[in-house]
Amino acid sequence: MADTHQNYVGGEWVTASTGETVDVVNPANPTEVVTTYQESSAADAADAVDAAADAADAWGDTPAPQRGDVLREVGDILADRKEELTELLTDEEGKTHAEAGGEVQRAIDIFHYYAGKTRDMGGDVKSPSGSNTNLYTVDEPVGVVSLITPWNYPIAIPAWKMAPALAAGNAVVLKPASVAPGPAHAIVEALDEAGITDGAVNLVTGPGSEVGTEFATNDRVDAVSFTGSSQVGNMVYDQATDDQKRVQMEMGGKNPTLVMDSADVEDAADIVAGGAFGVTGQACTATSRAIVHEDVYDEFVDAIVERAADIDIGPGDEYEMGPQVTESELEGTLEYIDIAADEGAALAAGGERPEGGRFEDGFYVEPTVFTDVERDMRIAQEEVFGPVLAVIPVADYEEALDVCNDVEYGLAASIVSNDHSEINRFKRDVEAGVVKINEATTGLELHVPFGGFKNSSSETWREQGDAGLDFYTISKTVYENY
């Protein structure tokens, strides 16, 4: 029987006022209940905000290096629990063991990174125009920040929001996705063990309509950081900005890789396959469009179909590609596969839900490749959060770039080319916040900014690196005449 995990409010583990819980099941075997969490209400979320507001001054007044000591210990605790958390992530979300282990390590690295950054925080000294004057800035925490995180990176994304928020001295309220809240819960356990100020971090599990809405609209919240779908993100943005809260929204993508005629086609197929089918295509930066020069189109199609067919599907603890996270996510992917076929795209690989044996109960779909896709088809325009790739032929670089930018999203984009002129033009002209050259659209470094253009982002503040701290601080400029 799965343990029931409580909320964390004001430094205490507490039961939701509703008395209700929700089970999280293993997507590879949905009859297996992995964990059970509180199904909280708006009132529970409001209590968490109150606890954060009451603790904000005490945590914000803690010297930054001392805050860093707490974050460093959190990273160490997570490192000690790495194998346990890797298994939990695989069981709740469905990632392969290798993918889950990499994500847990990312969370460890993020806490260690921001622990180090706390020693460089404070502000800047500038040269004044007159004598007998000091001129400088002081960086202060924003206050209480609400963090609303998704299920597809259930430990990395909470880490890259919580660590800079806490490093900067803010008090935090966190709502992880109900589908896979366990890894975020483990971070809060580590913060508790590391001795963080009571109320400086608070976690409430429950539906977005209750907990998420309260976190976005509560008057005592100063800033909201959200990662998830564009549809939900735009709604949260509207809620949060009604009273001029600071907001940071990272949302969907329709990420392309351009494969040009100068590319090594085998290398290009490896790059695209990794971006399209890794983490079961359940990444906002996943490659969902391969825009391929007509001179290498047929060769590329043969290569990418071969790679899709070679992927070994099954439970994440043993196989190369795991299941989708829920039945509804699987149904959404299968619906897009039907739509693509109905619109006239040619199914070149996959497209089915495998049956029998290890697939009997899990939420599996084959890696899928559609060819002869036209740029205005829904499969080429709308986000499909699964392992589905649309291959679009183009005549030249100019057409490739036009197709690349002709979507409402602008998160990640890459080009595979050995033509330096094309590469330099692509870096300048592509409408995306993450630009990759001869690499997959997926995969991020933790110490550089991350964010998108257009409907992939609110285009307000970036995450990660120094940019991640910018969102969580506000500057005062001090003119000191002595």
Side-chain angles (χ1 to χ4, degrees), residues 397-427:
Y397 172 79
E398 285 71 22
E399 184 182 2
L401 182 69
D402 189 40
V403 172
C404 170
N405 289 336
D406 186 26
V407 291
E408 64 177 287
Y409 300 103
L411 186 53
S414 70
I415 186 171
V416 185
S417 173
N418 288 312
D419 184 321
H420 288 283
S421 176
E422 287 178 347
I423 289 169
N424 286 317
R425 292 172 64 191
F426 180 76
K427 289 185 291 186

Side-chain angles (χ1 to χ4, degrees), residues 14-173:
V14 299
T15 301
S17 62
T18 62
E20 297 178 1
T21 60
V22 60
D23 292 335
V24 173
V25 301
N26 185 338
N29 179 17
T31 62
E32 175 193 342
V33 175
V34 180
T35 37
T36 301
Y37 298 92
Q38 305 293 313
E39 185 83 348
S40 308
S41 68
D44 297 310
D47 288 343
V49 172
D50 287 341
D54 292 344
D57 286 346
W59 179 246
D61 289 342
T62 301
Q66 292 183 27
R67 298 196 298 264
D69 291 342
V70 172
L71 300 187
R72 187 172 296 103
E73 187 170 350
V74 170
D76 292 344
I77 293 167
L78 296 178
D80 289 341
R81 297 180 62 188
K82 181 177 178 181
E83 182 57 30
E84 169 200 347
L85 296 178
T86 296
E87 292 176 2
L88 175 63
L89 203 160
T90 293
D91 288 346
E92 282 196 356
E93 197 271 349
K95 278 188 172 74
T96 68
H97 189 274
E99 291 166 344
E103 184 180 342
V104 174
Q105 186 61 52
R106 170 58 65 95
I108 295 165
D109 293 344
I110 287 168
F111 273 95
H112 285 157
Y113 172 80
Y114 282 109
K117 297 297 287 185
T118 58
R119 296 188 178 274
D120 295 325
M121 298 177 66
D124 297 311
V125 176
K126 301 294 184 181
S127 295
S129 299
S131 58
N132 301 324
T133 302
N134 292 325
L135 181 63
Y136 55 94
T137 64
V138 177
D139 291 336
E140 296 187 350
V142 173
V144 175
V145 296
S146 293
L147 311 178
I148 301 172
T149 60
W151 52 261
N152 62 321
Y153 284 91
I155 194 166
I157 293 178
W160 83 43
K161 293 181 188 293
M162 272 196 283
L166 293 170
N170 298 278
V172 166
V173 292

Side-chain angles (χ1 to χ4, degrees), residues 188-221:
V188 175
E189 290 173 345
L191 284 160
D192 179 59
E193 184 179 341
I196 193 167
T197 299
D198 290 349
V201 65
N202 305 270
L203 176 144
V204 180
T205 54
S209 58
E210 291 278 336
V211 178
T213 296
E214 182 65 26
F215 280 178
T217 60
N218 190 293
D219 290 342
R220 302 189 80 181
V221 170

Side-chain angles (χ1 to χ4, degrees), residues 249-267:
M249 303 281 135
E250 294 303 337
M251 302 180 286
K254 192 63 184 172
N255 311 295
T257 293
L258 279 60
V259 179
M260 305 313 299
D261 56 340
S262 63
D264 181 299
V265 173
E266 294 298 320
D267 286 347

